[in-house]
mmCIF file of all heavy atoms in Angstrom:
data_model
loop_
_atom_site.group_PDB
_atom_site.id
_atom_site.type_symbol
_atom_site.label_atom_id
_atom_site.label_comp_id
_atom_site.label_asym_id
_atom_site.label_seq_id
_atom_site.Cartn_x
_atom_site.Cartn_y
_atom_site.Cartn_z
ATOM 1 N N HIS A 49 -70.614 0.582 -37.043
ATOM 2 C CA HIS A 49 -70.004 0.009 -38.244
ATOM 3 C C HIS A 49 -69.965 1.031 -39.374
ATOM 4 O O HIS A 49 -68.946 1.161 -40.085
ATOM 5 C CB HIS A 49 -70.785 -1.228 -38.690
ATOM 6 C CG HIS A 49 -70.281 -1.838 -39.962
ATOM 7 N ND1 HIS A 49 -69.118 -2.575 -40.030
ATOM 8 C CD2 HIS A 49 -70.770 -1.786 -41.246
ATOM 9 C CE1 HIS A 49 -68.918 -2.971 -41.269
ATOM 10 N NE2 HIS A 49 -69.898 -2.505 -42.020
ATOM 11 N N GLU A 50 -71.051 1.790 -39.545
ATOM 12 C CA GLU A 50 -71.100 2.820 -40.577
ATOM 13 C C GLU A 50 -70.068 3.907 -40.308
ATOM 14 O O GLU A 50 -69.401 4.388 -41.222
ATOM 15 C CB GLU A 50 -72.505 3.430 -40.640
ATOM 16 C CG GLU A 50 -72.658 4.476 -41.733
ATOM 17 C CD GLU A 50 -74.050 5.075 -41.770
ATOM 18 O OE1 GLU A 50 -74.917 4.637 -40.982
ATOM 19 O OE2 GLU A 50 -74.263 5.994 -42.580
ATOM 20 N N SER A 51 -69.936 4.288 -39.024
ATOM 21 C CA SER A 51 -68.954 5.302 -38.644
ATOM 22 C C SER A 51 -67.538 4.817 -38.927
ATOM 23 O O SER A 51 -66.703 5.571 -39.444
ATOM 24 C CB SER A 51 -69.107 5.650 -37.161
ATOM 25 O OG SER A 51 -68.145 6.587 -36.759
ATOM 26 N N ASP A 52 -67.268 3.564 -38.588
ATOM 27 C CA ASP A 52 -65.943 2.988 -38.867
ATOM 28 C C ASP A 52 -65.657 2.955 -40.358
ATOM 29 O O ASP A 52 -64.524 3.219 -40.794
ATOM 30 C CB ASP A 52 -65.860 1.567 -38.292
ATOM 31 C CG ASP A 52 -65.773 1.555 -36.774
ATOM 32 O OD1 ASP A 52 -65.462 2.607 -36.196
ATOM 33 O OD2 ASP A 52 -66.019 0.486 -36.179
ATOM 34 N N GLU A 53 -66.677 2.652 -41.145
ATOM 35 C CA GLU A 53 -66.508 2.579 -42.593
ATOM 36 C C GLU A 53 -66.219 3.966 -43.169
ATOM 37 O O GLU A 53 -65.351 4.117 -44.046
ATOM 38 C CB GLU A 53 -67.778 2.006 -43.236
ATOM 39 C CG GLU A 53 -67.660 1.690 -44.708
ATOM 40 C CD GLU A 53 -66.739 0.516 -45.002
ATOM 41 O OE1 GLU A 53 -66.390 -0.216 -44.068
ATOM 42 O OE2 GLU A 53 -66.380 0.346 -46.182
ATOM 43 N N LYS A 54 -66.911 4.990 -42.660
ATOM 44 C CA LYS A 54 -66.667 6.360 -43.119
ATOM 45 C C LYS A 54 -65.251 6.794 -42.763
ATOM 46 O O LYS A 54 -64.550 7.401 -43.563
ATOM 47 C CB LYS A 54 -67.689 7.316 -42.497
ATOM 48 C CG LYS A 54 -69.088 7.194 -43.062
ATOM 49 C CD LYS A 54 -70.024 8.161 -42.381
ATOM 50 C CE LYS A 54 -71.428 8.075 -42.960
ATOM 51 N NZ LYS A 54 -72.370 8.993 -42.273
ATOM 52 N N PHE A 55 -64.845 6.489 -41.524
ATOM 53 C CA PHE A 55 -63.503 6.851 -41.081
ATOM 54 C C PHE A 55 -62.452 6.171 -41.950
ATOM 55 O O PHE A 55 -61.480 6.804 -42.375
ATOM 56 C CB PHE A 55 -63.310 6.441 -39.621
ATOM 57 C CG PHE A 55 -61.907 6.631 -39.106
ATOM 58 C CD1 PHE A 55 -61.451 7.889 -38.758
ATOM 59 C CD2 PHE A 55 -61.040 5.554 -38.977
ATOM 60 C CE1 PHE A 55 -60.154 8.076 -38.292
ATOM 61 C CE2 PHE A 55 -59.752 5.729 -38.518
ATOM 62 C CZ PHE A 55 -59.309 7.002 -38.171
ATOM 63 N N ARG A 56 -62.649 4.909 -42.252
ATOM 64 C CA ARG A 56 -61.699 4.175 -43.081
ATOM 65 C C ARG A 56 -61.626 4.777 -44.482
ATOM 66 O O ARG A 56 -60.529 4.968 -45.034
ATOM 67 C CB ARG A 56 -62.103 2.701 -43.174
ATOM 68 C CG ARG A 56 -61.072 1.826 -43.867
ATOM 69 C CD ARG A 56 -61.580 0.420 -44.056
ATOM 70 N NE ARG A 56 -62.688 0.371 -44.994
ATOM 71 C CZ ARG A 56 -62.545 0.378 -46.308
ATOM 72 N NH1 ARG A 56 -61.344 0.429 -46.861
ATOM 73 N NH2 ARG A 56 -63.602 0.343 -47.102
ATOM 74 N N ASN A 57 -62.781 5.122 -45.058
ATOM 75 C CA ASN A 57 -62.799 5.698 -46.405
ATOM 76 C C ASN A 57 -62.095 7.053 -46.443
ATOM 77 O O ASN A 57 -61.360 7.361 -47.389
ATOM 78 C CB ASN A 57 -64.240 5.847 -46.906
ATOM 79 C CG ASN A 57 -64.893 4.516 -47.219
ATOM 80 O OD1 ASN A 57 -64.211 3.517 -47.464
ATOM 81 N ND2 ASN A 57 -66.210 4.474 -47.191
ATOM 82 N N ILE A 58 -62.316 7.855 -45.403
ATOM 83 C CA ILE A 58 -61.704 9.181 -45.355
ATOM 84 C C ILE A 58 -60.184 9.059 -45.228
ATOM 85 O O ILE A 58 -59.428 9.699 -45.955
ATOM 86 C CB ILE A 58 -62.278 10.011 -44.187
ATOM 87 C CG1 ILE A 58 -63.738 10.377 -44.483
ATOM 88 C CG2 ILE A 58 -61.451 11.275 -43.960
ATOM 89 C CD1 ILE A 58 -64.459 10.999 -43.315
ATOM 90 N N THR A 59 -59.741 8.251 -44.291
ATOM 91 C CA THR A 59 -58.301 8.145 -44.047
ATOM 92 C C THR A 59 -57.577 7.461 -45.193
ATOM 93 O O THR A 59 -56.426 7.795 -45.497
ATOM 94 C CB THR A 59 -58.017 7.377 -42.749
ATOM 95 O OG1 THR A 59 -58.635 6.069 -42.805
ATOM 96 C CG2 THR A 59 -58.567 8.129 -41.536
ATOM 97 N N GLU A 60 -58.227 6.515 -45.846
ATOM 98 C CA GLU A 60 -57.570 5.807 -46.939
ATOM 99 C C GLU A 60 -57.522 6.629 -48.218
ATOM 100 O O GLU A 60 -56.683 6.384 -49.083
ATOM 101 C CB GLU A 60 -58.273 4.475 -47.211
ATOM 102 C CG GLU A 60 -58.109 3.455 -46.091
ATOM 103 C CD GLU A 60 -56.652 3.247 -45.711
ATOM 104 O OE1 GLU A 60 -55.853 2.887 -46.580
ATOM 105 O OE2 GLU A 60 -56.318 3.485 -44.538
ATOM 106 N N SER A 61 -58.417 7.622 -48.343
ATOM 107 C CA SER A 61 -58.401 8.474 -49.535
ATOM 108 C C SER A 61 -57.562 9.734 -49.321
ATOM 109 O O SER A 61 -57.297 10.470 -50.281
ATOM 110 C CB SER A 61 -59.834 8.871 -49.926
ATOM 111 O OG SER A 61 -60.438 9.631 -48.892
ATOM 112 N N ALA A 62 -57.124 9.986 -48.089
ATOM 113 C CA ALA A 62 -56.331 11.184 -47.794
ATOM 114 C C ALA A 62 -54.971 11.107 -48.478
ATOM 115 O O ALA A 62 -54.360 10.043 -48.567
ATOM 116 C CB ALA A 62 -56.156 11.331 -46.287
ATOM 117 N N GLN A 63 -54.488 12.256 -48.963
ATOM 118 C CA GLN A 63 -53.173 12.324 -49.588
ATOM 119 C C GLN A 63 -52.054 12.496 -48.558
ATOM 120 O O GLN A 63 -50.889 12.250 -48.857
ATOM 121 C CB GLN A 63 -53.136 13.480 -50.590
ATOM 122 C CG GLN A 63 -54.092 13.318 -51.757
ATOM 123 C CD GLN A 63 -53.836 12.036 -52.528
ATOM 124 O OE1 GLN A 63 -52.736 11.795 -53.014
ATOM 125 N NE2 GLN A 63 -54.855 11.203 -52.650
ATOM 126 N N ASP A 64 -52.412 12.941 -47.367
ATOM 127 C CA ASP A 64 -51.436 13.106 -46.289
ATOM 128 C C ASP A 64 -51.402 11.856 -45.420
ATOM 129 O O ASP A 64 -52.410 11.148 -45.283
ATOM 130 C CB ASP A 64 -51.792 14.308 -45.411
ATOM 131 C CG ASP A 64 -51.701 15.621 -46.170
ATOM 132 O OD1 ASP A 64 -50.970 15.671 -47.173
ATOM 133 O OD2 ASP A 64 -52.365 16.585 -45.767
ATOM 134 N N ALA A 65 -50.257 11.614 -44.823
ATOM 135 C CA ALA A 65 -50.137 10.481 -43.899
ATOM 136 C C ALA A 65 -50.909 10.796 -42.624
ATOM 137 O O ALA A 65 -50.818 11.898 -42.080
ATOM 138 C CB ALA A 65 -48.671 10.228 -43.569
ATOM 139 N N ILE A 66 -51.683 9.843 -42.152
ATOM 140 C CA ILE A 66 -52.396 9.967 -40.877
ATOM 141 C C ILE A 66 -51.903 8.840 -39.980
ATOM 142 O O ILE A 66 -52.033 7.659 -40.318
ATOM 143 C CB ILE A 66 -53.919 9.886 -41.059
ATOM 144 C CG1 ILE A 66 -54.393 10.999 -42.015
ATOM 145 C CG2 ILE A 66 -54.632 9.998 -39.715
ATOM 146 C CD1 ILE A 66 -55.876 10.955 -42.327
ATOM 147 N N ILE A 67 -51.330 9.223 -38.843
ATOM 148 C CA ILE A 67 -50.676 8.259 -37.956
ATOM 149 C C ILE A 67 -51.170 8.492 -36.530
ATOM 150 O O ILE A 67 -51.280 9.638 -36.086
ATOM 151 C CB ILE A 67 -49.143 8.431 -37.992
ATOM 152 C CG1 ILE A 67 -48.621 8.292 -39.433
ATOM 153 C CG2 ILE A 67 -48.461 7.421 -37.080
ATOM 154 C CD1 ILE A 67 -47.180 8.736 -39.596
ATOM 155 N N PHE A 77 -52.157 3.332 -35.611
ATOM 156 C CA PHE A 77 -52.882 3.537 -36.876
ATOM 157 C C PHE A 77 -51.913 4.084 -37.914
ATOM 158 O O PHE A 77 -51.064 4.931 -37.611
ATOM 159 C CB PHE A 77 -54.063 4.495 -36.700
ATOM 160 C CG PHE A 77 -54.862 4.681 -37.967
ATOM 161 C CD1 PHE A 77 -55.818 3.751 -38.328
ATOM 162 C CD2 PHE A 77 -54.644 5.768 -38.793
ATOM 163 C CE1 PHE A 77 -56.537 3.897 -39.510
ATOM 164 C CE2 PHE A 77 -55.353 5.927 -39.976
ATOM 165 C CZ PHE A 77 -56.302 4.986 -40.324
ATOM 166 N N TRP A 78 -52.075 3.610 -39.177
ATOM 167 C CA TRP A 78 -51.142 3.957 -40.253
ATOM 168 C C TRP A 78 -51.912 3.851 -41.561
ATOM 169 O O TRP A 78 -52.281 2.762 -41.988
ATOM 170 C CB TRP A 78 -49.984 2.965 -40.216
ATOM 171 C CG TRP A 78 -48.829 3.183 -41.138
ATOM 172 C CD1 TRP A 78 -48.663 2.634 -42.377
ATOM 173 C CD2 TRP A 78 -47.651 3.962 -40.888
ATOM 174 N NE1 TRP A 78 -47.462 3.028 -42.909
ATOM 175 C CE2 TRP A 78 -46.807 3.831 -42.012
ATOM 176 C CE3 TRP A 78 -47.222 4.740 -39.814
ATOM 177 C CZ2 TRP A 78 -45.572 4.461 -42.097
ATOM 178 C CZ3 TRP A 78 -45.988 5.360 -39.897
ATOM 179 C CH2 TRP A 78 -45.176 5.232 -41.020
ATOM 180 N N ASN A 79 -52.216 4.979 -42.194
ATOM 181 C CA ASN A 79 -53.053 4.902 -43.391
ATOM 182 C C ASN A 79 -52.238 4.644 -44.660
ATOM 183 O O ASN A 79 -51.004 4.533 -44.623
ATOM 184 C CB ASN A 79 -53.917 6.165 -43.531
ATOM 185 C CG ASN A 79 -53.110 7.384 -43.982
ATOM 186 O OD1 ASN A 79 -51.902 7.433 -43.799
ATOM 187 N ND2 ASN A 79 -53.786 8.368 -44.549
ATOM 188 N N THR A 80 -52.935 4.541 -45.786
ATOM 189 C CA THR A 80 -52.280 4.206 -47.053
ATOM 190 C C THR A 80 -51.272 5.267 -47.473
ATOM 191 O O THR A 80 -50.195 4.949 -47.996
ATOM 192 C CB THR A 80 -53.340 4.031 -48.162
ATOM 193 O OG1 THR A 80 -54.212 2.950 -47.803
ATOM 194 C CG2 THR A 80 -52.695 3.716 -49.497
ATOM 195 N N ALA A 81 -51.606 6.552 -47.249
ATOM 196 C CA ALA A 81 -50.679 7.624 -47.614
ATOM 197 C C ALA A 81 -49.391 7.536 -46.799
ATOM 198 O O ALA A 81 -48.306 7.860 -47.301
ATOM 199 C CB ALA A 81 -51.334 8.986 -47.404
ATOM 200 N N ALA A 82 -49.484 7.087 -45.551
ATOM 201 C CA ALA A 82 -48.284 6.916 -44.731
ATOM 202 C C ALA A 82 -47.369 5.860 -45.351
ATOM 203 O O ALA A 82 -46.144 6.009 -45.356
ATOM 204 C CB ALA A 82 -48.665 6.524 -43.310
ATOM 205 N N ARG A 84 -47.186 5.197 -48.567
ATOM 206 C CA ARG A 84 -46.595 5.790 -49.759
ATOM 207 C C ARG A 84 -45.476 6.773 -49.399
ATOM 208 O O ARG A 84 -44.423 6.791 -50.041
ATOM 209 C CB ARG A 84 -47.685 6.515 -50.565
ATOM 210 C CG ARG A 84 -47.158 7.309 -51.744
ATOM 211 C CD ARG A 84 -48.311 7.891 -52.555
ATOM 212 N NE ARG A 84 -49.261 8.596 -51.731
ATOM 213 C CZ ARG A 84 -49.088 9.849 -51.276
ATOM 214 N NH1 ARG A 84 -47.986 10.511 -51.580
ATOM 215 N NH2 ARG A 84 -50.024 10.433 -50.552
ATOM 216 N N ILE A 161 -52.435 12.069 -32.624
ATOM 217 C CA ILE A 161 -52.776 11.853 -34.026
ATOM 218 C C ILE A 161 -51.973 12.846 -34.847
ATOM 219 O O ILE A 161 -52.095 14.061 -34.672
ATOM 220 C CB ILE A 161 -54.276 12.054 -34.284
ATOM 221 C CG1 ILE A 161 -55.094 11.045 -33.465
ATOM 222 C CG2 ILE A 161 -54.585 11.888 -35.775
ATOM 223 C CD1 ILE A 161 -56.590 11.260 -33.568
ATOM 224 N N ILE A 163 -50.724 14.330 -38.617
ATOM 225 C CA ILE A 163 -50.956 14.440 -40.059
ATOM 226 C C ILE A 163 -49.662 14.944 -40.677
ATOM 227 O O ILE A 163 -49.150 16.005 -40.289
ATOM 228 C CB ILE A 163 -52.121 15.383 -40.380
ATOM 229 C CG1 ILE A 163 -53.417 14.818 -39.765
ATOM 230 C CG2 ILE A 163 -52.283 15.561 -41.881
ATOM 231 C CD1 ILE A 163 -54.628 15.704 -39.981
#
Side-chain angles (χ1 to χ4, degrees):
H49 177 75
E50 182 181 357
S51 178
D52 288 343
E53 189 69 14
K54 287 179 179 178
F55 174 77
R56 188 186 67 81
N57 289 338
I58 291 171
T59 57
E60 292 308 303
S61 62
Q63 296 302 303
D64 295 336
I66 302 177
I67 303 168
F77 182 82
W78 186 266
N79 74 337
T80 299
R84 173 175 50 80
I161 299 175
I163 298 178

